[in-house]
Amino acid sequence: MSIKNLIKKLPKAELHIHIEGSLEPELMFKIAKRNKIKLPYSSIKHLKTAYNFNNLQSFLDIYYKGTNVLITEKDFYNMTFAYLKKAHADNIKHAEIFFDPQSHTSRKIPFKTVINGISKACEDGKKKFGISYHLIMCFLRHLSANEAMKTLEESLPFKNKIIAVGLDSSEVGNPPKKFKAVFKKAINYGYLTVAHAGEEGHPDYIWEALDELKVKRIDHGVRCLEDPKLIKELVKRKIPLTVCPFSNVKLKVFKDLKKHNIKQLLDNNLIATINSDDPAYFGGYINDNYIGIQKALGLNKKDIIMLAKNSFKASFLSEKEKRRNLEEIDKISKEL
Ligand code: HPA
Ligand code: ZN
């Protein structure tokens, strides 16, 4: 079996996907039209020329404009179901999906519209494709802790639909500790916690996410390699990293895929995983990320199997579900 076929055949979990970042230009235009919203782009082609980013902020500025077309439950449903179709084509068996309620409630879209559209699509994806899922509600870190706290309270009627809270948006200047009280309360309500840290931000932000926000996983976290004590701690505490190779190159965290550090992360015994982040903006879904990084770094079949296994180990699935998926991977590896 070629390594490309192995990548396609392996069951995988995706743990770092912003559902708003899966909104493809074609669907964005279609939804804008039916909602009578004027996009600041004359065509899909024109929109795509704007997808040329210098850093995280230049991406976020465009990404938040794209989310403005989402108004009705159907919009959220269509966006989510389109992602699940792509996920199914890539043999994703489990997805832990981020959503940003504040991008919508700030535009007077009710929390309920957002969560119902997303979760109905996930339920249908589960029935139709057999993809299990969890939802993770992210706070926008460029907004205040007070606003995050309000969003946390707003989520409570839908708590049974949300497994964890996370932290995304502009990292530098918005350290994890800004949200210490919010995360403490979220944990008291029974949510698990994750946070974006060490994407552009200093490794100290990863320490803060661990110690102040008590996260179970770090999103990105690639800058941890700058701090040997931190590497040791992440290994000791078995904290996985949800790494997004295409995103890191598009947002200039690494100059190109050949310079990416995921192999070093694995060599340091970190539980690194591969994810797509915002696939509609960064040029590919999960298999594209696996295939791209495999080629660039010359990863072998053992590395690929390790990455697929890590995706389930790092998930919030039950031990039984983790085992079932890991056994599937073992079966395929034995056939090699
Ligand atoms: N980092 C921070 N915020 C985000 C990202 C990211 O990679 N994608 C969508 N929101
Ligand atoms: Zn992200």
Side-chain angles (χ1 to χ4, degrees):
M1 195 187 314
S2 71
I3 198 152
K4 199 167 163 184
N5 280 339
L6 174 68
I7 288 169
K8 291 182 182 172
K9 199 168 174 199
L10 283 171
K12 292 164 290 278
E14 174 144 65
L15 309 176
H16 188 153
I17 162 79
H18 301 262
I19 201 63
E20 294 91 345
S22 75
L23 184 59
E24 291 286 347
E26 289 74 15
L27 186 57
M28 190 191 294
F29 268 79
K30 191 175 154 188
I31 293 176
K33 195 170 166 202
R34 79 181 177 214
N35 288 335
K36 301 190 174 54
I37 287 172
K38 205 162 162 34
L39 282 165
Y41 310 99
S42 56
S43 64
I44 290 172
K45 207 171 146 201
H46 179 207
L47 169 62
K48 285 183 181 169
T49 60
Y51 290 4
N52 209 341
F53 314 113
N54 304 315
N55 53 25
L56 175 59
Q57 193 58 51
S58 63
F59 155 69
L60 291 170
D61 293 342
I62 286 173
Y63 165 77
Y64 293 132
K65 273 188 207 151
T67 62
N68 286 340
V69 304
L70 302 163
I71 309 282
T72 66
E73 188 178 301
K74 184 178 171 191
D75 302 338
F76 289 94
Y77 179 97
N78 290 160
M79 172 177 68
T80 307
F81 198 77
Y83 162 70
L84 291 167
K85 249 186 185 168
K86 299 265 195 187
H88 178 57
D90 277 358
N91 214 12
I92 287 178
K93 299 295 184 195
H94 176 70
E96 301 193 354
I97 299 176
F98 295 133
F99 68 109
D100 287 337
Q102 290 163 297
S103 295
H104 315 300
T105 52
S106 65
R107 301 179 291 113
K108 307 274 183 281
I109 312 296
F111 194 105
K112 185 176 163 195
T113 302
V114 179
I115 188 107
N116 283 349
I118 296 171
S119 63
K120 280 180 191 171
C122 287
E123 279 301 307
D124 286 352
K126 195 168 162 185
K127 275 184 225 139
K128 187 148 187 208
F129 307 129
I131 300 176
S132 58
Y133 71 95
H134 287 309
L135 298 181
I136 301 175
M137 169 176 84
C138 285
F139 302 116
L140 298 179
R141 67 203 303 162
H142 67 276
L143 301 178
S144 70
N146 254 344
E147 283 163 291
M149 198 66 102
K150 262 193 247 160
T151 303
L152 175 64
E153 300 297 335
E154 236 180 324
S155 75
L156 293 179
F158 310 98
K159 213 177 125 274
N160 63 336
K161 291 183 160 61
I162 302 169
I163 195 160
V165 300
L167 194 59
D168 63 2
S169 192
S170 323
E171 186 183 7
V172 174
N174 294 296
K177 65 170 183 278
K178 176 175 162 187
F179 296 93
K180 183 174 177 166
V182 182
F183 273 59
K184 191 168 178 207
K185 200 152 199 194
I187 291 168
N188 281 338
Y189 284 139
Y191 289 117
L192 300 173
T193 62
V194 299
H196 283 54
E199 176 186 16
E200 285 187 342
H202 192 272
D204 285 354
Y205 280 23
I206 302 176
W207 279 111
E208 268 184 33
L210 292 176
D211 292 338
E212 313 273 357
L213 307 185
K214 315 284 181 210
V215 298
K216 302 279 186 219
R217 241 174 15 218
I218 295 284
D219 297 311
H220 293 296
V222 290
R223 288 195 61 187
C224 73
L225 288 188
E226 295 167 35
D227 182 343
K229 254 179 89 183
L230 177 57
I231 299 172
K232 251 188 163 166
E233 196 64 19
L234 290 166
V235 171
K236 191 175 127 206
R237 295 198 209 178
K238 296 194 175 69
I239 301 286
L241 307 178
T242 63
V243 179
C244 308
F246 277 23
S247 165
N248 291 154
V249 172
K250 290 280 178 186
L251 303 187
K252 313 261 196 283
V253 174
F254 296 99
K255 196 165 159 277
D256 59 55
L257 281 178
K258 286 194 165 68
K259 296 264 169 9
H260 201 284
N261 68 5
I262 193 156
K263 178 68 176 139
Q264 283 111 282
L265 296 173
L266 290 175
D267 290 345
N268 275 282
N269 297 317
L270 289 154
I271 309 165
T273 63
I274 289 197
N275 307 271
S276 68
D277 207 4
D278 301 281
Y281 292 87
F282 299 149
Y285 287 78
I286 203 164
N287 281 359
D288 303 313
N289 273 271
Y290 268 85
I291 292 165
I293 202 74
Q294 183 279 321
K295 270 196 194 141
L297 302 179
L299 300 183
N300 60 29
K301 290 183 179 176
K302 236 173 107 185
D303 298 322
I304 296 297
I305 288 164
M306 165 88 77
L307 287 162
K309 282 191 160 182
N310 283 354
S311 75
F312 290 105
K313 288 182 188 166
S315 75
F316 294 139
L317 283 169
S318 67
E319 288 307 315
K320 189 174 159 212
E321 280 302 299
K322 284 184 190 178
R323 217 176 312 122
R324 195 175 61 74
N325 282 291
L326 292 172
E327 280 168 11
E328 275 303 307
I329 296 179
D330 281 335
K331 248 192 254 165
I332 294 170
S333 359
K334 278 197 195 110
E335 287 165 16
L336 288 178

